[in-house]
Amino acid sequence: MKFEESQNLSKFIRKKIELAFGKFFICDHFVVAELNHEIHVDWLIIQKIAHMIIDQYGTSRKIGFISNKVNSYSIDPYVWITFSQEYDFIEAAAIVWYTDAGFMSATLEKMFLKSSVKLCESLEEAVHWISNPEEFRS
């Protein structure tokens, strides 16, 4: 399910940002990313996402990140190692998967992320988890 199509979840959206490679929904304490079909996420795209998030929240604020995998795309998992060394604003991440391939990709990404990560079967589950920091800080 796409984030802005969910009547229960669209109330969280403060701002929608469309970039060439995907849509980003800026909420009070988290970002939801929906990347385009069949793109390859490399370090350049990760940097653009990071700078867009910093522009929205500043450099000192910790936020949650939800990757809503509504489309099929590839990602170089090693970019997360460099990301963790360069940036420190993601407190927790939720990855929503819809297919077996999406689950396998999410499982691989989780291995490379420094922050607390939860694999979710629904967008509602991801928003609930990311909205309750006591769940991922324990």
Side-chain angles (χ1 to χ4, degrees), residues 35 41 46 65 67 69 73-81 84 93-97 101-115 117 119:
L35 298 179
V41 180
I46 292 293
F65 187 87
S67 177
K69 293 183 170 285
Y73 58 87
S74 64
I75 185 166
D76 178 355
Y78 292 104
V79 298
W80 293 124
I81 294 170
S84 295
I95 304 172
V96 185
W97 56 277
F103 176 75
M104 291 174 62
S105 173
T107 302
L108 182 62
E109 284 182 62
K110 181 178 179 175
M111 293 170 41
F112 289 90
L113 285 162
K114 182 179 101 173
S115 57
V117 179
L119 304 184

Side-chain angles (χ1 to χ4, degrees), residues 5-67:
E5 293 174 357
S6 170
Q7 292 186 355
N8 292 333
L9 300 176
S10 62
K11 64 185 175 198
F12 289 100
I13 300 172
R14 242 184 35 208
K15 184 177 186 180
K16 176 180 168 183
I17 297 174
E18 291 191 54
L19 299 175
F21 47 83
K23 295 178 185 176
F24 299 85
F25 302 93
I26 308 301
C27 303
D28 286 336
H29 304 289
F30 60 90
V31 174
V32 177
E34 293 179 352
L35 298 179
N36 294 342
H37 185 65
E38 294 189 356
I39 66 161
H40 177 70
V41 180
D42 58 12
W43 179 241
L44 182 62
I45 288 177
I46 292 293
Q47 284 182 304
K48 289 178 182 179
I49 294 170
H51 290 280
M52 179 270 303
I53 291 172
I54 290 168
D55 287 345
Q56 298 302 310
Y57 295 98
T59 57
S60 61
R61 188 160 172 208
K62 300 282 189 185
I63 63 159
F65 187 87
I66 298 174
S67 177

